[in-house]
Amino acid sequence: MFEPRAVVLIGFGEALAAPEVAWSLVDAGFRVVAFARRGRSSALRHSRHVTCYEICPPDLDLQASLSELSALLASLGREAPDLPHVLLPLDDKAVWLASRVQLQAPWLLAGPSGAHAELALNKCLQVQAARDAGFLVPNSVVARTSGEVFRFVDASVYPVILKPSECVPLRHGRLHECKKWTCANRDELEQAVAKWGETVPLLVQSFIAGTGEGIFGLAAPDGVRAWSGHRRVRMMNPQGSGSSACISQTVDKDLREKADRLIRQIGWQGLFMIELLRDDAGKVWFVELNGRPWGSMALCRRQGLEYPAWQADLALDQNSPAGRCAEGVSDVLCRHAGREFMHLLFVLRGPRSKAFSGWPSFWRALADVGRVRAKDMVYNWRRDDASVFVSDFWYTIKDNVFKSKH
Protein backbone atom coordinates (compact mmCIF):
# COMPACT_ATOMS: atom_id res chain seq x y z
CA MET A 1 0.00 0.00 0.00
CA PHE A 2 1.36 3.42 -1.00
CA GLU A 3 2.17 5.58 2.02
CA PRO A 4 2.08 9.28 1.03
CA ARG A 5 4.62 11.74 2.37
CA ALA A 6 1.88 14.25 3.12
CA VAL A 7 -1.59 15.33 2.03
CA VAL A 8 -1.65 18.36 -0.26
CA LEU A 9 -4.90 20.23 -0.86
CA ILE A 10 -4.86 22.32 -4.05
CA GLY A 11 -7.44 24.68 -5.47
CA PHE A 12 -9.28 25.95 -7.19
CA GLY A 13 -9.51 22.90 -9.42
CA GLU A 14 -10.50 25.06 -12.41
CA ALA A 15 -7.13 26.84 -12.48
CA LEU A 16 -5.27 26.40 -15.77
CA ALA A 17 -2.26 24.93 -13.99
CA ALA A 18 -4.26 22.51 -11.82
CA PRO A 19 -3.57 19.22 -13.70
CA GLU A 20 0.19 19.84 -14.00
CA VAL A 21 0.40 20.90 -10.36
CA ALA A 22 -1.44 17.77 -9.26
CA TRP A 23 0.81 15.48 -11.32
CA SER A 24 3.96 17.17 -10.01
CA LEU A 25 2.81 16.48 -6.46
CA VAL A 26 1.68 12.92 -7.22
CA ASP A 27 5.02 12.07 -8.81
CA ALA A 28 6.80 13.42 -5.72
CA GLY A 29 4.92 11.03 -3.44
CA PHE A 30 2.16 13.28 -2.10
CA ARG A 31 -1.52 12.41 -1.78
CA VAL A 32 -3.38 15.10 -3.71
CA VAL A 33 -6.91 16.36 -3.06
CA ALA A 34 -8.51 19.46 -4.52
CA PHE A 35 -11.27 21.93 -3.82
CA ALA A 36 -13.35 23.15 -6.76
CA ARG A 37 -16.20 25.57 -7.35
CA ARG A 38 -19.57 23.91 -6.85
CA GLY A 39 -21.29 23.38 -10.19
CA ARG A 40 -18.23 24.29 -12.25
CA SER A 41 -16.73 21.76 -14.67
CA SER A 42 -12.97 21.29 -14.79
CA ALA A 43 -10.47 18.90 -16.33
CA LEU A 44 -9.05 18.04 -12.91
CA ARG A 45 -12.33 16.36 -11.93
CA HIS A 46 -11.53 13.70 -14.56
CA SER A 47 -8.15 12.80 -13.07
CA ARG A 48 -7.71 9.33 -11.61
CA HIS A 49 -5.04 10.70 -9.26
CA VAL A 50 -7.05 13.41 -7.51
CA THR A 51 -10.18 13.55 -5.36
CA CYS A 52 -12.15 16.79 -5.79
CA TYR A 53 -14.38 18.37 -3.15
CA GLU A 54 -16.84 21.15 -3.95
CA ILE A 55 -17.16 24.41 -2.05
CA CYS A 56 -19.25 27.51 -2.63
CA PRO A 57 -17.77 29.65 -5.43
CA PRO A 58 -16.27 32.84 -3.96
CA ASP A 59 -17.86 34.71 -6.87
CA LEU A 60 -21.26 33.96 -5.29
CA ASP A 61 -20.48 34.29 -1.58
CA LEU A 62 -16.99 34.93 -0.23
CA GLN A 63 -17.85 34.19 3.39
CA ALA A 64 -19.61 30.93 2.53
CA SER A 65 -16.62 29.91 0.43
CA LEU A 66 -14.27 30.66 3.32
CA SER A 67 -16.48 28.77 5.78
CA GLU A 68 -16.73 25.69 3.56
CA LEU A 69 -12.99 25.65 2.93
CA SER A 70 -12.44 25.75 6.70
CA ALA A 71 -14.79 22.81 7.14
CA LEU A 72 -12.99 20.85 4.42
CA LEU A 73 -9.62 21.48 6.07
CA ALA A 74 -10.95 20.21 9.40
CA SER A 75 -12.45 17.10 7.80
CA LEU A 76 -9.32 16.18 5.86
CA GLY A 77 -7.17 16.77 8.92
CA ARG A 78 -9.24 14.30 10.94
CA GLU A 79 -8.99 11.63 8.23
CA ALA A 80 -5.20 11.36 8.47
CA PRO A 81 -4.09 13.12 11.67
CA ASP A 82 -0.62 11.53 11.63
CA LEU A 83 0.31 12.95 8.22
CA PRO A 84 1.46 16.51 7.48
CA HIS A 85 -1.11 18.50 5.53
CA VAL A 86 -0.29 21.31 3.07
CA LEU A 87 -2.65 23.89 1.55
CA LEU A 88 -1.45 25.08 -1.88
CA PRO A 89 -3.59 27.82 -3.56
CA LEU A 90 -3.59 27.82 -7.38
CA ASP A 91 -5.33 31.05 -8.35
CA ASP A 92 -5.83 34.55 -6.98
CA LYS A 93 -9.15 33.88 -5.28
CA ALA A 94 -7.67 30.79 -3.64
CA VAL A 95 -4.73 32.90 -2.44
CA TRP A 96 -7.24 35.31 -0.88
CA LEU A 97 -9.09 32.48 0.87
CA ALA A 98 -5.94 30.64 1.98
CA SER A 99 -4.45 33.79 3.49
CA ARG A 100 -7.58 34.35 5.59
CA VAL A 101 -8.59 30.85 6.66
CA GLN A 102 -7.53 29.87 10.17
CA LEU A 103 -5.05 27.03 9.75
CA GLN A 104 -4.65 24.61 12.62
CA ALA A 105 -2.46 21.53 13.05
CA PRO A 106 -1.70 19.52 11.01
CA TRP A 107 -2.07 22.16 8.27
CA LEU A 108 0.71 24.25 6.72
CA LEU A 109 0.34 26.94 4.06
CA ALA A 110 2.39 26.67 0.86
CA GLY A 111 1.51 30.14 -0.35
CA PRO A 112 1.64 33.82 0.58
CA SER A 113 0.12 35.15 3.78
CA GLY A 114 -0.11 38.50 5.54
CA ALA A 115 1.73 41.31 3.73
CA HIS A 116 2.95 38.89 1.05
CA ALA A 117 -0.61 37.90 0.20
CA GLU A 118 -1.59 41.58 0.02
CA LEU A 119 1.30 42.22 -2.38
CA ALA A 120 0.40 39.17 -4.50
CA LEU A 121 -3.15 40.49 -4.91
CA ASN A 122 -2.49 44.22 -5.32
CA LYS A 123 -1.08 45.38 -8.66
CA CYS A 124 -0.34 48.88 -7.34
CA LEU A 125 1.96 47.51 -4.63
CA GLN A 126 3.62 45.30 -7.24
CA VAL A 127 4.23 48.23 -9.59
CA GLN A 128 5.94 50.22 -6.82
CA ALA A 129 8.05 47.24 -5.71
CA ALA A 130 9.11 46.57 -9.31
CA ARG A 131 10.05 50.21 -9.83
CA ASP A 132 12.12 50.15 -6.63
CA ALA A 133 13.94 47.04 -7.90
CA GLY A 134 14.93 48.76 -11.15
CA PHE A 135 12.32 47.41 -13.59
CA LEU A 136 10.83 49.70 -16.22
CA VAL A 137 7.16 50.27 -15.37
CA PRO A 138 4.57 51.83 -17.70
CA ASN A 139 3.25 55.27 -16.75
CA SER A 140 0.54 54.42 -14.20
CA VAL A 141 -2.07 55.84 -11.87
CA VAL A 142 -4.68 54.40 -9.50
CA ALA A 143 -8.10 55.85 -10.33
CA ARG A 144 -11.20 55.71 -8.15
CA THR A 145 -13.27 58.25 -10.08
CA SER A 146 -13.95 58.90 -13.75
CA GLY A 147 -12.31 62.30 -13.42
CA GLU A 148 -9.05 60.71 -12.31
CA VAL A 149 -9.09 58.42 -15.35
CA PHE A 150 -9.66 61.27 -17.81
CA ARG A 151 -7.08 63.55 -16.17
CA PHE A 152 -4.43 60.83 -16.44
CA VAL A 153 -5.26 60.04 -20.06
CA ASP A 154 -5.40 63.73 -21.04
CA ALA A 155 -1.81 64.04 -19.80
CA SER A 156 -0.77 60.79 -21.46
CA VAL A 157 -0.87 59.29 -24.95
CA TYR A 158 -3.32 56.75 -26.36
CA PRO A 159 -3.69 53.81 -26.25
CA VAL A 160 -4.20 53.13 -22.55
CA ILE A 161 -5.18 50.04 -20.59
CA LEU A 162 -7.60 49.95 -17.65
CA LYS A 163 -7.71 47.01 -15.22
CA PRO A 164 -8.71 46.39 -11.61
CA SER A 165 -5.91 47.36 -9.26
CA GLU A 166 -6.76 44.38 -7.03
CA CYS A 167 -6.77 40.77 -8.23
CA VAL A 168 -9.74 40.05 -5.97
CA PRO A 169 -11.75 43.29 -6.22
CA LEU A 170 -14.30 43.74 -3.44
CA ARG A 171 -17.31 46.04 -3.28
CA HIS A 172 -19.41 46.29 -0.14
CA GLY A 173 -17.71 43.14 1.13
CA ARG A 174 -18.62 41.11 -1.94
CA LEU A 175 -16.48 39.98 -4.85
CA HIS A 176 -16.99 42.20 -7.86
CA GLU A 177 -16.03 41.01 -11.32
CA CYS A 178 -14.43 43.81 -13.31
CA LYS A 179 -13.25 43.63 -16.92
CA LYS A 180 -10.04 44.93 -18.45
CA TRP A 181 -10.19 47.48 -21.29
CA THR A 182 -7.72 48.68 -23.90
CA CYS A 183 -8.71 52.06 -25.36
CA ALA A 184 -7.30 53.63 -28.51
CA ASN A 185 -9.23 56.92 -28.42
CA ARG A 186 -11.62 59.07 -26.40
CA ASP A 187 -14.75 57.28 -27.62
CA GLU A 188 -13.44 53.87 -26.51
CA LEU A 189 -12.31 55.34 -23.19
CA GLU A 190 -15.71 56.89 -22.46
CA GLN A 191 -17.42 53.57 -23.18
CA ALA A 192 -15.03 51.72 -20.87
CA VAL A 193 -15.43 54.24 -18.05
CA ALA A 194 -19.22 54.04 -18.35
CA LYS A 195 -19.11 50.25 -18.07
CA TRP A 196 -16.72 50.47 -15.10
CA GLY A 197 -19.04 52.84 -13.23
CA GLU A 198 -16.46 53.67 -10.52
CA THR A 199 -17.16 50.31 -8.87
CA VAL A 200 -13.60 49.36 -7.85
CA PRO A 201 -10.19 51.09 -8.04
CA LEU A 202 -8.55 50.88 -11.46
CA LEU A 203 -4.92 50.73 -12.44
CA VAL A 204 -4.66 52.93 -15.54
CA GLN A 205 -1.48 52.54 -17.60
CA SER A 206 0.00 53.51 -20.92
CA PHE A 207 -0.49 50.59 -23.28
CA ILE A 208 2.72 49.05 -24.60
CA ALA A 209 2.67 46.65 -27.54
CA GLY A 210 5.16 43.82 -27.43
CA THR A 211 5.84 40.18 -26.68
CA GLY A 212 5.07 38.65 -23.30
CA GLU A 213 7.89 37.04 -21.33
CA GLY A 214 8.12 35.42 -17.92
CA ILE A 215 10.72 34.81 -15.23
CA PHE A 216 10.18 31.92 -12.82
CA GLY A 217 11.92 30.79 -9.68
CA LEU A 218 11.73 29.36 -6.20
CA ALA A 219 12.70 31.68 -3.35
CA ALA A 220 14.27 29.81 -0.43
CA PRO A 221 16.01 31.10 2.71
CA ASP A 222 19.37 30.91 0.91
CA GLY A 223 18.17 32.79 -2.19
CA VAL A 224 16.37 32.12 -5.47
CA ARG A 225 16.72 28.63 -6.96
CA ALA A 226 15.67 27.06 -10.27
CA TRP A 227 15.68 30.15 -12.46
CA SER A 228 13.86 29.74 -15.77
CA GLY A 229 12.13 31.88 -18.37
CA HIS A 230 9.74 31.76 -21.28
CA ARG A 231 8.51 33.80 -24.22
CA ARG A 232 4.95 33.78 -25.52
CA VAL A 233 4.78 32.47 -29.07
CA ARG A 234 1.02 33.07 -29.31
CA MET A 235 -1.68 34.38 -27.02
CA MET A 236 -5.05 32.67 -27.02
CA ASN A 237 -6.60 36.08 -27.72
CA PRO A 238 -4.19 38.40 -29.60
CA GLN A 239 -5.93 41.31 -27.87
CA GLY A 240 -4.53 40.10 -24.55
CA SER A 241 -4.77 36.82 -22.65
CA GLY A 242 -2.70 33.90 -21.45
CA SER A 243 -0.54 32.13 -23.98
CA SER A 244 -1.66 29.29 -26.23
CA ALA A 245 1.96 28.45 -27.06
CA CYS A 246 5.18 29.43 -25.29
CA ILE A 247 8.86 28.57 -25.57
CA SER A 248 11.48 28.37 -22.86
CA GLN A 249 14.47 30.70 -22.76
CA THR A 250 17.28 31.48 -20.38
CA VAL A 251 17.01 34.55 -18.16
CA ASP A 252 19.58 37.17 -19.10
CA LYS A 253 21.88 38.60 -16.45
CA ASP A 254 20.30 42.06 -16.16
CA LEU A 255 16.75 40.75 -15.74
CA ARG A 256 17.88 38.11 -13.29
CA GLU A 257 19.57 40.74 -11.15
CA LYS A 258 16.42 42.91 -11.11
CA ALA A 259 14.20 39.93 -10.35
CA ASP A 260 16.51 38.78 -7.57
CA ARG A 261 16.53 42.31 -6.11
CA LEU A 262 12.72 42.45 -6.22
CA ILE A 263 12.33 39.08 -4.48
CA ARG A 264 14.87 39.98 -1.79
CA GLN A 265 13.40 43.44 -1.13
CA ILE A 266 9.88 42.12 -0.60
CA GLY A 267 11.13 39.11 1.40
CA TRP A 268 9.29 36.65 -0.83
CA GLN A 269 9.36 32.90 -0.07
CA GLY A 270 8.30 30.09 -2.40
CA LEU A 271 7.52 29.94 -6.10
CA PHE A 272 6.97 33.10 -8.13
CA MET A 273 6.46 34.30 -11.69
CA ILE A 274 7.30 37.79 -12.91
CA GLU A 275 5.37 38.71 -16.05
CA LEU A 276 7.15 41.06 -18.45
CA LEU A 277 6.60 42.68 -21.84
CA ARG A 278 9.38 43.26 -24.38
CA ASP A 279 8.50 46.10 -26.76
CA ASP A 280 9.55 46.49 -30.38
CA ALA A 281 12.63 48.48 -29.32
CA GLY A 282 13.79 45.66 -27.06
CA LYS A 283 12.95 47.38 -23.77
CA VAL A 284 11.52 45.08 -21.10
CA TRP A 285 8.61 46.33 -18.98
CA PHE A 286 7.20 44.94 -15.74
CA VAL A 287 3.59 43.73 -15.93
CA GLU A 288 2.83 41.85 -12.69
CA LEU A 289 4.01 39.37 -10.08
CA ASN A 290 2.25 36.03 -9.62
CA GLY A 291 2.73 34.43 -6.23
CA ARG A 292 1.02 31.14 -7.07
CA PRO A 293 1.32 28.52 -9.84
CA TRP A 294 1.10 30.04 -13.31
CA GLY A 295 -0.67 28.90 -16.46
CA SER A 296 2.44 27.67 -18.30
CA MET A 297 3.41 25.22 -15.56
CA ALA A 298 3.44 22.48 -18.24
CA LEU A 299 6.40 24.15 -19.94
CA CYS A 300 8.36 24.22 -16.68
CA ARG A 301 7.63 20.58 -15.96
CA ARG A 302 8.76 19.56 -19.46
CA GLN A 303 12.15 20.99 -18.47
CA GLY A 304 12.21 18.94 -15.26
CA LEU A 305 11.34 21.95 -13.08
CA GLU A 306 8.90 20.62 -10.48
CA TYR A 307 7.98 23.92 -8.84
CA PRO A 308 4.73 22.66 -7.21
CA ALA A 309 6.42 19.70 -5.50
CA TRP A 310 9.31 21.92 -4.43
CA GLN A 311 6.84 24.45 -3.00
CA ALA A 312 5.30 21.71 -0.87
CA ASP A 313 8.76 20.51 0.18
CA LEU A 314 9.69 24.00 1.41
CA ALA A 315 6.39 24.31 3.29
CA LEU A 316 7.22 21.08 5.12
CA ASP A 317 10.88 21.98 5.72
CA GLN A 318 12.33 25.41 4.94
CA ASN A 319 15.80 23.82 4.89
CA SER A 320 14.82 21.42 2.12
CA PRO A 321 17.25 21.33 -0.85
CA ALA A 322 14.27 21.34 -3.26
CA GLY A 323 15.18 22.87 -6.61
CA ARG A 324 18.67 23.85 -5.48
CA CYS A 325 20.54 22.36 -8.46
CA ALA A 326 17.85 22.92 -11.09
CA GLU A 327 18.04 25.34 -14.00
CA GLY A 328 15.82 25.96 -17.00
CA VAL A 329 16.85 25.08 -20.55
CA SER A 330 16.01 26.93 -23.77
CA ASP A 331 13.99 26.08 -26.90
CA VAL A 332 11.33 23.83 -25.32
CA LEU A 333 8.00 24.69 -26.98
CA CYS A 334 4.73 23.80 -25.25
CA ARG A 335 1.23 24.26 -26.70
CA HIS A 336 -2.24 24.22 -25.17
CA ALA A 337 -4.49 22.40 -27.66
CA GLY A 338 -7.75 24.07 -26.67
CA ARG A 339 -6.23 27.53 -26.56
CA GLU A 340 -4.56 27.04 -29.94
CA PHE A 341 -8.00 26.28 -31.40
CA MET A 342 -9.45 29.33 -29.66
CA HIS A 343 -6.59 31.47 -30.99
CA LEU A 344 -7.85 30.82 -34.51
CA LEU A 345 -11.40 31.78 -33.55
CA PHE A 346 -10.25 35.01 -31.88
CA VAL A 347 -8.17 35.92 -34.92
CA LEU A 348 -11.19 35.27 -37.14
CA ARG A 349 -13.41 37.43 -34.92
CA GLY A 350 -11.04 40.39 -35.14
CA PRO A 351 -9.93 43.06 -32.63
CA ARG A 352 -12.31 44.89 -30.31
CA SER A 353 -10.22 48.09 -30.21
CA LYS A 354 -8.42 50.22 -32.76
CA ALA A 355 -5.36 49.99 -30.49
CA PHE A 356 -4.54 46.64 -32.10
CA SER A 357 -3.34 47.69 -35.55
CA GLY A 358 -1.13 44.67 -36.31
CA TRP A 359 -3.86 42.06 -36.12
CA PRO A 360 -2.71 38.72 -37.63
CA SER A 361 -4.39 37.35 -40.72
CA PHE A 362 -6.40 34.17 -40.29
CA TRP A 363 -4.44 32.23 -42.89
CA ARG A 364 -1.12 33.22 -41.33
CA ALA A 365 -2.45 32.21 -37.90
CA LEU A 366 -3.67 28.88 -39.30
CA ALA A 367 -0.24 28.19 -40.80
CA ASP A 368 1.51 29.08 -37.52
CA VAL A 369 -0.77 26.88 -35.41
CA GLY A 370 -0.47 24.04 -37.90
CA ARG A 371 3.33 24.13 -37.92
CA VAL A 372 4.16 21.39 -35.39
CA ARG A 373 7.70 20.26 -34.63
CA ALA A 374 8.34 16.67 -33.64
CA LYS A 375 9.79 17.79 -30.31
CA ASP A 376 6.91 20.12 -29.40
CA MET A 377 5.12 19.40 -26.12
CA VAL A 378 1.51 19.89 -25.02
CA TYR A 379 -0.19 21.06 -21.85
CA ASN A 380 -2.04 18.68 -19.55
CA TRP A 381 -1.09 15.40 -21.22
CA ARG A 382 -0.31 12.29 -19.18
CA ARG A 383 -0.61 8.83 -20.65
CA ASP A 384 -2.28 7.27 -17.60
CA ASP A 385 -4.65 10.25 -17.20
CA ALA A 386 -5.64 10.99 -20.81
CA SER A 387 -9.22 11.97 -19.95
CA VAL A 388 -7.82 15.16 -18.39
CA PHE A 389 -6.41 16.28 -21.75
CA VAL A 390 -9.63 15.52 -23.64
CA SER A 391 -11.88 17.24 -21.12
CA ASP A 392 -9.53 20.23 -20.86
CA PHE A 393 -9.75 20.73 -24.65
CA TRP A 394 -13.55 20.65 -24.55
CA TYR A 395 -13.97 22.89 -21.49
CA THR A 396 -11.59 25.48 -22.93
CA ILE A 397 -13.74 25.78 -26.03
CA LYS A 398 -17.05 25.64 -24.14
CA ASP A 399 -16.06 28.28 -21.59
CA ASN A 400 -14.85 30.70 -24.26
CA VAL A 401 -17.35 30.13 -27.05
CA PHE A 402 -20.51 29.65 -25.05
CA LYS A 403 -19.54 32.09 -22.30
CA SER A 404 -20.74 29.84 -19.49
CA LYS A 405 -21.94 31.66 -16.39
CA HIS A 406 -20.34 30.40 -13.20
Side-chain angles (χ1 to χ4, degrees), residues 265-311:
Q265 287 178 356
I266 64 177
W268 191 265
Q269 292 292 303
L271 54 74
F272 66 87
M273 182 263 195
I274 299 173
E275 186 174 343
L276 305 168
L277 188 72
R278 187 179 296 270
D279 67 20
D280 296 337
K283 292 183 178 180
V284 180
W285 301 82
F286 175 86
V287 177
E288 65 183 19
L289 168 72
N290 285 317
R292 38 75 180 169
W294 44 89
S296 61
M297 187 60 70
L299 177 63
C300 296
R301 296 197 63 233
R302 302 306 178 266
Q303 301 170 68
L305 302 171
E306 299 290 352
Y307 290 113
W310 296 338
Q311 176 85 337

Side-chain angles (χ1 to χ4, degrees), residues 17-161:
E20 297 288 348
V21 170
W23 293 332
S24 176
L25 294 164
V26 166
D27 291 343
F30 295 103
R31 176 193 167 203
V32 182
V33 291
F35 59 94
R37 291 170 174 82
R38 184 172 295 115
R40 173 84 176 266
S41 56
S42 71
L44 191 66
R45 292 176 182 266
H46 297 267
S47 175
R48 59 190 294 266
H49 296 288
V50 181
T51 302
C52 287
Y53 296 87
E54 291 190 335
I55 68 171
C56 176
D59 319 67
L60 298 180
D61 190 328
L62 268 178
Q63 292 307 312
S65 187
L66 187 62
S67 176
E68 292 184 21
L69 177 59
S70 297
L72 177 60
L73 292 169
S75 175
L76 292 173
R78 289 192 297 267
E79 287 180 9
D82 297 330
L83 281 178
H85 286 59
V86 178
L87 173 60
L88 174 54
L90 302 186
D91 60 24
D92 292 330
K93 294 181 179 69
V95 168
W96 190 94
L97 292 173
S99 67
R100 285 162 174 77
V101 72
Q102 295 296 317
L103 290 182
Q104 299 178 355
W107 285 98
L108 301 168
L109 177 60
S113 62
H116 288 150
E118 183 180 2
L119 177 71
L121 298 173
N122 190 308
K123 291 182 172 64
C124 300
L125 295 178
Q126 294 176 18
V127 162
Q128 186 57 53
R131 187 179 287 117
D132 293 343
F135 280 105
L136 292 175
V137 177
N139 192 21
S140 310
V141 71
V142 180
R144 293 175 174 80
T145 67
S146 301
E148 291 174 332
V149 174
F150 289 119
R151 281 193 293 274
F152 171 82
V153 177
D154 288 343
S156 186
V157 178
Y158 287 101
V160 293
I161 186 167

